[in-house]
Amino acid sequence: MKTKYYEDADLLSLRISNTPYKYARQNGDVIVHYSDKKEPVLIEIVNAAKFLKDTTKMLPKRIQQEISSTNISTSVAHRIR
């Protein structure tokens, strides 16, 4: 899987497969691109910073603490690949 963050658009892209995609469906801030065999190929998260912040709150406290203790700088978030 390949991931990439587009800082200017606040978009997180998760490439699951190298298969070409045929169509996409959007549900809120999540867009899933599918192959002609209806298999997910690419997932895009619009407003990624807010999405990740909100979803992190749903994790168990232990996991939240592990994430926050890594001190990941938002200034390097655009380097995610």
Side-chain angles (χ1 to χ4, degrees):
M1 178 168 65
K2 293 181 182 179
T3 61
K4 187 166 184 179
Y5 179 73
Y6 299 91
E7 188 173 10
D8 57 332
D10 190 22
L11 177 94
L12 180 63
S13 175
L14 309 160
R15 184 73 179 197
I16 300 169
S17 167
N18 288 328
T19 305
Y21 51 85
K22 183 86 170 174
Y23 65 98
R25 300 242 165 119
Q26 183 169 357
N27 185 3
D29 286 342
V30 178
I31 304 166
V32 181
H33 299 259
Y34 296 91
S35 71
D36 56 357
K37 295 181 181 180
K38 300 180 181 179
E39 297 169 336
V41 175
L42 173 69
I43 299 171
E44 294 178 305
I45 301 173
V46 182
N47 302 314
K50 181 182 181 320
F51 178 88
L52 293 172
K53 182 179 178 183
D54 291 348
T55 54
T56 300
K57 290 178 185 176
M58 291 185 261
L59 296 172
K61 292 289 183 195
R62 179 182 59 81
I63 303 294
Q64 290 181 34
Q65 290 170 346
E66 287 179 28
I67 292 170
S68 66
S69 69
T70 58
N71 293 323
I72 298 174
S73 170
T74 56
S75 65
V76 296
H78 66 281
R79 296 182 193 159
I80 299 172
R81 294 195 185 185

